[in-house]
Amino acid sequence: MSETETKKPPARDPWDLPDVSGLVVGVLGGTGDQGRGLAYRLARAGQKVIIGSRAADRARAAAAELGLGVEGADNAECARRSDIVIVAVPWDGHAATLTALRDDLRGKLVVDCVNPLGFDKQGAYALRPEEGSAAQQAAALLPESRVTAAFHHLSAVLLQDETIDEIDTDVMVLGEKRADTDLVQALAARIPGMRGVFAGRLRGAHQVEALVANLISVNRRYKAHAGLRLTDVERAPEQTP
């Protein structure tokens, strides 16, 4: 066997991400603070966005307030018309919402950003769903969808603040297939200041979701809107041939 035949191909650049600018993004729970903030930032970056809600009129009203070409629809229509669907519904309605939309989400790239949390006198604490995480619950309920997890650690206050041009944070992206996580990373990178970073398979989603409880404690103590930055994860310098 020749040297050419045995030589391995060069490693793929992890920052070589696809163009997602032409994809339609739906946001289920888009009338809530987190969903509304994500819809605003993506639309402001030039993405076509549809807000979904159980009540179509509520979604249309929220979309009209946002402007930027955002549309509103009921959850089912939002799911059907979108290429990528972000799930930003409250945890207590997570399972019921996805179960009802199973057919509408068939074949879609689903991005779950739901954080299962409880609250008591000591503050926020993480819940552990039977499936392991909200993202794994979504994957179990949507066997014909491509489920990923991302956008957990973003401040809804910063996302909705029109005076802020950039959101200084990394977005941890989890999923089973590189083609899917690459798309979500690229979507995150559409928002100025953000960077999508691959963080493993869905089995690691619980600790990513759970970290939000710690961020809530940080924010309360320091009166901040803390996000995450991962150090020493940079694009490699160009190699000289």
Side-chain angles (χ1 to χ4, degrees), residues 51-232:
I51 283 178
S53 176
R54 286 178 297 178
D57 55 349
R58 186 180 176 192
R60 286 193 286 267
E65 290 176 6
L66 288 177
L68 300 169
V70 176
E71 295 184 38
D74 63 43
N75 282 333
E77 182 182 345
C78 172
R80 288 193 300 269
R81 292 178 55 197
S82 302
D83 302 301
I84 300 176
V85 180
I86 298 174
V87 180
V89 300
W91 166 240
D92 58 7
H94 184 260
T97 298
L98 296 185
T99 298
L101 296 173
R102 182 176 297 166
D103 291 340
D104 302 297
L105 290 170
R106 183 180 290 117
K108 305 290 184 176
L109 176 56
V110 174
V111 186
D112 201 297
C113 69
V114 175
N115 303 304
L117 298 176
F119 295 86
D120 60 19
K121 292 181 179 179
Q122 298 183 58
Y125 60 93
L127 303 174
R128 191 175 189 105
E130 181 180 347
E131 298 84 356
S133 65
Q136 287 170 297
Q137 182 183 87
L141 294 173
L142 304 172
E144 297 181 77
S145 301
R146 297 138 53 209
V147 176
T148 61
F151 300 117
H152 301 90
H153 307 133
L154 306 181
S155 163
V157 173
L158 297 185
L159 289 173
Q160 295 183 83
D161 189 336
E162 297 181 6
T163 68
I164 295 175
D165 294 325
E166 296 188 2
I167 306 292
D168 181 24
T169 193
D170 284 333
V171 173
M172 300 178 75
V173 181
L174 301 95
E176 299 303 317
K177 295 183 178 180
R178 179 164 184 169
D180 294 337
T181 56
D182 279 358
L183 284 168
V184 181
Q185 286 178 253
L187 186 65
R190 293 275 289 160
I191 300 174
M194 281 193 197
R195 183 178 64 164
V197 179
F198 174 70
R201 294 179 178 269
L202 284 185
R203 68 180 183 180
H206 171 67
Q207 51 263 43
V208 173
E209 297 168 2
L211 186 57
V212 174
N214 303 89
L215 288 177
I216 290 172
S217 296
V218 169
N219 290 335
R220 286 180 174 173
R221 173 64 62 90
Y222 298 101
K223 302 192 184 312
H225 302 292
L228 295 179
R229 272 297 187 200
L230 300 174
T231 62
D232 200 32

Side-chain angles (χ1 to χ4, degrees), residues 12-19 181-183 185-187 189 196 235:
R12 180 176 165 190
D13 183 352
W15 301 108
D16 182 15
L17 300 174
D19 178 10
T181 56
D182 279 358
L183 284 168
Q185 286 178 253
L187 186 65
R235 181 185 290 271

